[in-house]
């Protein structure tokens, strides 16, 4: 679609996209050197919602730090708390009952679907189509209602505890989840009919913003962004944790490297998450939801611990350096969007501003998670 | 005061009232329609079905302070909203709503409407340039190139219709199609077998001319914040908004007159203004439906569509019609 371009670096102007701009979905600022509608150079400026979560991790006990994790990514918060509890449990040697792990997997996957749904709506809204957002939010609402019933929160969950869960799921939740799966599958078909086949939609995404696999490796991009560029990497498969090895699911990978590929990966992932939820509900064992042997105050042995989990946005890693105290000596969060976002500067050079902002939408940025 | 002058004044007042009422209630209709499409209630608090929303919005806009950003070109900034609304109202004067209801019928009605419609681009350019905002300038450049490139196929299609009718008088064009839907210009006739395609071209062009989705590049929220009216608040914004909806009504009216038989009944009974209104509101409903269904095109996709597809087809259609008129 786009015409061949001859950029003139001497006749440019500076455009500030953000920190308050509808396309950045948060307080991200992009300084764009523009030649008309074309971007000569872009520079992302971070830090507008920096809240020092890593530093807080050094000053709070591990349990006190739990709620912080769900403030990173307000769309897929469960994945982040999951990473933290897994890291601490492994370091402290706490055995988690199987039922708790299953419920964790089910809720994390529900949260992933919710996150992807919201992304889907916001992404199509970036392209100028408003209605899919409302449909997506309605489906997401069912998930939030279910999660609210068991976790007590709608966005910033603090559901997982070291050694188990805060609350067991009841029959209502299981019933609701079972009812939700076929309904969601029907919705996915509807989204496909409404959006995926649309000519305008495809023209705006196909072949736009190619991000090669090398570039993904260079910037450390993970998750759907990397999988849209042909990198078959999913922490759930490659470095299995929790009860994921017991589930049968595929990792959708597309080799087109364009915005459409990233879209397709996420749409397929929703279906795979539904498969996991389905199997989890089927296999859900009875038993306790909390470990019996668990120290009152958790002190990790001296050492260096790292745990990666696959969140909705990619590989989230938490590194805890412990000096044996009840809070961490140093805590480092590797947030996936931080790496994914840095693709933007390089990839959008020479791109139209329209395509660049569509590309930004396809990266699924959540700004509080970048800034931490 | 001569009688004609009085006539013109009354006509203009009625046109303004009609345009303003339409603009206000089309906003309401659009919001309700969008809500219906998106499975939410929409404005429903103020009055029955939210019908008091438009006047309340109007009061809110009028009582707000008119801010002129520092460094803006004051004259252009103030002139632009007026220039967006005034030509739209003037176009209403020439539109015949039925055989008897026309403010001022002109022999060159088609030309007058196109002349006024092309002034809309100027308003957008003034607004974008006068605001001294980079987003506004980008948006107005987009909108102007869009308006210019879509006026061409629109004019060519209108000329095709004018050729088959032999008149530029909107009333005459409408009268020529009376007597049942098979006489309407939209259906292929001996002289112009490609009329349905012409209708589609004209419809697409009127979407693009009014800066409606999927061609709303001039106010693309997700890229250019609010496009050319980013810096406008209070009634300045209100006028742009009303101008847009007035233009939609004109686009729909023109489509109705040129292709759908004006006030003619599809099956030859009770022709009158109600048929005209029914047709334009159906077209407007389609506009709304399209807006809330499709994503936005890119600026290059948009220009390609006009220059590479619509203009060649409409030119071919024009030549074909001219040839057939000569032969038969």
């Amino acid at each position: 679609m786009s015409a061949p371009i001859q950029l003139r670096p001497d006749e440019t102007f500076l455009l500030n996209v953000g920190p308050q701009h509808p396309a950045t979905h948060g307080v991200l600022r992009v300084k764009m050197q523009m030649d008309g509608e074309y971007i000569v150079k872009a520079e992302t400026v971070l830090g507008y919602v920096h809240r020092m979560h890593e530093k807080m991790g050094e000053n709070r006990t591990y349990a006190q730090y739990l709620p912080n994790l769900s403030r990173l990514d307000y769309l897929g918060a469960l994945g982040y708390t999951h990473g933290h509890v897994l890291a601490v449990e492994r370091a402290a040697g706490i055995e988690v009952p199987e039922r708790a792990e299953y419920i964790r997997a089910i809720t994390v996957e529900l949260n992933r679907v919710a996150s992807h749904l919201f992304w889907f709506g916001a992404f199509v809204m970036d392209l100028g189509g408003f209605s899919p957002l409302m449909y997506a939010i309605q489906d997401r609402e069912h998930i939030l209602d279910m999660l609210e019933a068991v976790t007590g929160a709608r966005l910033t969950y603090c559901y997982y505890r070291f050694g188990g869960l805060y609350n067991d799921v009841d029959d209502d939740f299981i019933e609701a989840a079972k009812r939700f799966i076929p309904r969601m599958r029907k919705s996915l078909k509807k989204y496909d009919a409404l959006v995926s086949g649309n000519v305008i939609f495809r023209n705006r995404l196909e072949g736009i913003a190619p991000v090669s696999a090398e570039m993904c490796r260079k910037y450390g991009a993970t998750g759907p962004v990397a999988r849209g560029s042909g990198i078959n990497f999913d922490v759930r498969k490659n470095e299995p944790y929790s009860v994921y090895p017991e589930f049968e699911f595929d990792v959708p990978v597309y080799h087109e490297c364009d915005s459409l590929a990233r879209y397709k990966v996420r749409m397929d992932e929703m279906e795979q998450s539904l498969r996991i939820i389905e199997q989890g509900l089927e296999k859900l064992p009875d038993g306790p939801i909390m470990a019996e042997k668990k120290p009152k105050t958790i002190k990790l042995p001296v050492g260096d611990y790292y745990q990666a989990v696959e969140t909705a946005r990619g590989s989230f890693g938490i590194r805890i350096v412990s000096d044996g105290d009840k809070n961490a000596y140093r805590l480092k969060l590797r947030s996936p969007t931080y790496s994914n976002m840095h693709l933007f500067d390089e990839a959008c050079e020479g791109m139209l501003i329209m395509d660049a902002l569509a590309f930004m939408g396809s990266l699924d940025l959540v700004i509080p998670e970048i800034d931490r | 005061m001569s009688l004609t002058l009085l006539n013109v004044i009354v006509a203009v007042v009625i046109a303004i009232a009609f345009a303003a009422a339409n603009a206000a209630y089309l906003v309401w209709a659009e919001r309700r329609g969008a809500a219906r499409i998106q499975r939410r209630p929409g404005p429903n608090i103020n009055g029955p079905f939210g019908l008091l929303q438009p006047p309340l919005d109007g009061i809110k806009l009028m009582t707000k302070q008119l801010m002129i950003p520092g460094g803006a070109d004051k004259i252009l900034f103030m002139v632009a909203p007026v220039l967006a609304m005034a030509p739209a109202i003037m176009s209403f004067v020439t539109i015949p709503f039925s055989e008897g209801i026309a403010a001022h019928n002109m022999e060159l009605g088609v030309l007058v409407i196109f002349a006024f419609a092309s002034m809309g681009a100027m308003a957008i350019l003034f607004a974008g340039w006068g605001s001294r905002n980079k987003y506004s300038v980008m948006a107005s450049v987009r909108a102007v190139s869009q308006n210019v490139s879509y006026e061409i196929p629109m004019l060519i299609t209108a000329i095709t219709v004018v050729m088959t009718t032999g008149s530029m008088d909107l009333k005459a064009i409408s009268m020529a199609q009376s007597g049942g839907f098979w006489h309407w210009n939209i259906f292929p006739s001996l002289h112009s077998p490609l009329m349905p395609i012409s209708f589609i071209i004209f419809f697409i062009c009127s979407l693009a001319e009014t800066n409606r989705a999927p061609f709303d590049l001039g106010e693309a929220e997700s890229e250019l914040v609010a496009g050319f009216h980013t810096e406008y608040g209070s009634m300045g914004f209100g006028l742009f908004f009303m101008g847009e909806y007035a233009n939609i009504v004109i686009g729909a009216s023109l489509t109705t007159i040129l292709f759908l038989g004006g006030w003619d009944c599809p099956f030859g009974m009770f022709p009158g203004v109600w048929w005209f209104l029914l047709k334009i509101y159906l077209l407007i409903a389609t506009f709304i439906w399209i807006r809330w269904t499709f994503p936005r095109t890119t600026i290059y996709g948009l220009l390609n569509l006009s220059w590479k597809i619509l203009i060649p087809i409409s030119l071919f259609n024009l030549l074909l019609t001219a040839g057939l008129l000569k032969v038969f």
Side-chain angles (χ1 to χ4, degrees):
Chain A
M1 267 289 167
S2 53
I5 50 159
Q6 199 79 54
L7 293 177
R8 295 158 309 194
D10 50 324
E11 283 178 37
T12 57
F13 64 93
L14 190 76
L15 189 71
N16 258 315
V17 179
Q20 305 291 340
H21 188 281
T24 56
H25 299 295
V27 279
L28 176 69
R29 175 173 164 220
V30 189
K31 270 161 75 180
M32 286 182 181
Q33 196 80 36
M34 304 284 298
D35 178 8
E37 296 246 334
Y38 288 99
I39 298 167
V40 181
K41 201 171 170 303
E43 188 191 340
T44 40
V45 184
L46 306 178
Y48 286 90
V49 280
H50 184 53
R51 289 144 301 161
M52 294 177 280
H53 275 305
E54 287 175 4
K55 189 70 189 165
M56 274 191 246
E58 296 169 21
N59 298 322
R60 296 178 165 204
T61 65
Y62 297 108
Q64 281 172 338
Y65 191 58
L66 255 178
N68 279 51
L69 268 305
S70 58
R71 268 77 179 168
L72 290 187
D73 176 355
Y74 51 86
L75 293 177
L78 278 174
Y80 295 78
T81 42
H82 197 193
H84 182 51
V85 290
L86 283 175
V88 173
E89 278 159 4
R90 210 177 53 177
I94 300 169
E95 282 287 322
V96 185
E98 213 182 6
R99 182 176 171 83
E101 280 290 13
Y102 268 95
I103 293 171
R104 281 178 183 181
I106 292 166
T107 44
V108 161
E109 293 306 321
L110 275 174
N111 206 201
R112 188 192 311 277
V113 176
S115 167
H116 280 356
L117 274 174
F118 200 82
W119 164 82
F120 164 75
F123 180 51
V124 183
M125 200 173 78
D126 279 348
L127 301 172
F130 286 86
S131 300
L133 178 72
M134 290 293 157
Y135 292 94
I137 280 184
Q138 203 173 33
D139 280 325
R140 177 170 169 265
E141 201 64 18
H142 293 302
I143 300 178
L144 293 192
D145 285 344
M146 277 191 272
L147 289 180
E148 188 185 11
V150 291
T151 66
R154 287 172 72 80
L155 282 178
T156 49
Y157 314 101
C158 187
Y159 180 47
Y160 307 144
R161 297 285 192 270
F162 303 121
L165 305 166
Y166 151 69
N167 189 9
D168 199 357
V169 299
D170 51 7
D171 290 342
D172 287 350
F173 173 84
I174 291 167
E175 273 306 301
K178 274 182 181 157
R179 258 183 288 129
F180 173 75
I181 292 165
R183 197 166 50 200
M184 189 60 222
R185 286 201 168 123
K186 239 168 95 185
S187 292
L188 282 175
K189 272 197 197 117
K190 196 166 64 194
Y191 298 154
D192 238 28
L194 181 65
V195 175
S196 310
N198 189 309
V199 180
I200 299 173
F201 180 79
R202 290 189 86 91
N203 279 344
R204 292 221 35 199
L205 300 182
E206 230 161 356
I208 298 296
V211 174
S212 63
E214 286 88 88
M215 219 168 126
C216 282
R217 288 204 186 90
K218 195 165 98 189
Y219 285 98
T222 48
V225 176
R227 288 195 283 274
S229 298
I231 298 176
N232 189 355
F233 176 80
D234 186 320
V235 184
R236 291 173 295 177
K237 282 268 189 213
N238 295 56
E239 301 159 15
Y241 55 92
S242 190
V243 283
Y244 280 109
E246 279 157 57
F247 295 127
E248 246 181 62
F249 65 99
D250 302 320
V251 179
V253 178
Y254 285 87
H255 296 272
E256 288 86 358
C257 306
D258 54 2
S259 294
L260 190 64
R262 292 186 276 277
Y263 168 83
K264 282 182 186 160
V265 166
R266 290 202 182 87
M267 295 312 267
D268 289 1
E269 266 185 25
M270 280 197 249
E271 168 56 30
Q272 297 307 323
S273 290
L274 290 181
R275 274 178 73 191
I276 295 174
I277 299 164
E278 209 171 25
Q279 293 168 45
L281 289 171
E282 223 167 75
K283 290 181 184 171
L284 186 64
D286 287 328
I289 55 152
M290 203 65 191
E292 277 155 25
K293 278 195 292 176
K294 202 190 81 172
K296 263 248 154 54
T297 31
I298 290 171
K299 284 184 186 175
L300 299 192
V302 181
D304 198 338
Y305 310 97
Y306 184 80
Q307 174 70 45
V309 287
E310 184 78 16
T311 68
R313 263 148 274 280
S315 164
F316 167 70
I318 179 162
R319 181 180 172 193
I320 301 172
V321 181
S322 171
D323 56 358
D325 208 352
K326 60 184 188 303
N327 43 14
Y329 173 74
R330 171 81 172 94
L331 197 141
K332 160 81 183 144
L333 306 170
R334 184 229 178 263
S335 64
T337 346
Y338 183 81
S339 311
N340 293 356
M341 187 209 61
H342 281 292
L343 289 171
F344 185 79
D345 290 2
E346 191 181 320
C348 76
E349 270 172 35
M351 221 189 264
L352 281 168
I353 182 166
M354 285 196 108
D355 293 338
L357 293 176
F359 168 50
M360 188 189 264
S362 80
L363 290 178
D364 193 8
L365 302 184
V366 170
I367 313 301
E369 195 241 27
I370 299 175
D371 280 347
R372 301 197 291 280
Chain B
M1 198 185 272
S2 67
L3 197 66
T4 30
L5 187 64
L6 193 72
N7 256 350
V8 167
I9 290 170
V10 170
V12 167
V13 168
I14 291 176
I16 290 174
F18 183 74
N22 253 306
Y25 276 92
L26 282 179
V27 176
W28 173 84
E30 169 120 54
R31 290 177 65 187
R32 292 289 288 193
R36 188 130 199 98
I37 290 168
Q38 298 174 348
R39 296 190 290 197
R40 58 188 174 84
N44 63 351
I45 305 290
N46 300 313
F49 307 107
L51 278 170
L52 284 180
Q53 192 70 43
L56 293 174
D57 279 347
I59 291 168
K60 187 203 79 172
L61 284 173
M62 276 187 259
T63 48
K64 273 182 148 180
Q65 188 190 357
L66 185 65
M67 296 283 285
I68 300 176
D73 188 323
K74 271 189 195 136
I75 297 171
L76 289 187
F77 190 80
M78 300 293 277
V79 161
V82 180
L83 203 59
M85 186 68 185
I89 289 173
M90 289 311 291
S91 309
F92 274 107
V93 174
T94 54
I95 289 176
F97 288 82
S98 81
E99 214 176 326
I101 307 175
H104 190 77
N105 200 46
M106 292 180 203
E107 268 174 33
L108 294 175
V110 177
L111 197 64
V112 170
I113 288 187
F114 276 107
F116 279 126
S118 53
M119 282 172 77
M122 222 152 72
I124 293 173
L125 188 62
F126 284 3
W129 188 252
S131 302
R132 201 190 163 91
N133 178 322
K134 286 166 192 166
Y135 290 112
S136 300
V137 175
M138 281 171 79
S140 62
V141 169
R142 275 184 187 185
V144 169
S145 56
Q146 171 185 346
N147 277 25
V148 168
S149 49
Y150 275 82
E151 243 156 48
I152 299 167
M154 200 175 186
L155 268 170
I156 295 173
T157 348
I159 291 169
T160 317
V161 175
V162 167
M163 272 194 335
T164 53
T165 322
S167 168
M168 276 185 124
D169 186 349
L170 288 171
K171 201 164 166 184
I173 291 173
S174 198
M175 298 279 272
Q177 303 174 55
S178 61
F181 64 85
W182 54 91
H183 291 292
W184 293 358
N185 276 336
I186 180 174
F187 294 104
S189 69
L190 203 57
H191 298 315
S192 46
L194 287 177
M195 265 309 182
I197 295 168
S198 285
F199 171 73
I200 292 167
I201 291 174
F202 197 85
F203 187 75
I204 293 172
C205 290
S206 53
L207 271 179
E209 274 287 288
T210 47
N211 289 325
R212 290 283 295 183
F215 308 114
D216 56 344
L217 291 153
E219 43 201 283
E221 281 107 341
S222 46
E223 299 127 34
L224 301 178
V225 192
F228 59 86
H229 57 65
T230 306
E231 297 290 349
Y232 282 89
S234 87
M235 216 46 209
F237 166 75
L239 281 178
F240 271 120
F241 219 57
M242 280 164 71
E244 186 189 322
Y245 283 93
N247 274 325
I248 290 166
V249 178
I250 287 162
S253 307
L254 205 57
T255 316
T256 308
I257 291 168
L258 292 182
F259 290 98
L260 300 176
W263 54 85
D264 182 46
C265 166
F267 30 83
M269 283 149 71
F270 312 116
V273 65
W274 37 86
W275 284 110
F276 185 81
L277 292 179
L278 181 73
K279 284 172 196 169
I280 68 169
Y281 289 123
L282 275 178
L283 280 175
I284 292 168
T286 321
F287 275 34
I288 292 172
W289 180 22
I290 288 173
R291 169 160 180 192
W292 298 102
T293 308
F294 287 114
R296 192 180 301 122
T297 53
T298 55
I299 181 78
Y300 286 98
L302 179 97
L303 297 181
N304 280 343
L305 177 69
S306 174
W307 291 98
K308 291 185 182 163
I309 298 171
L310 298 184
I311 292 179
I313 292 176
S314 54
L315 266 178
F316 173 73
N317 196 7
L318 179 75
L319 289 176
L320 186 76
T321 312
L324 286 171
L325 277 171
K326 196 79 189 158
V327 172
F328 292 102

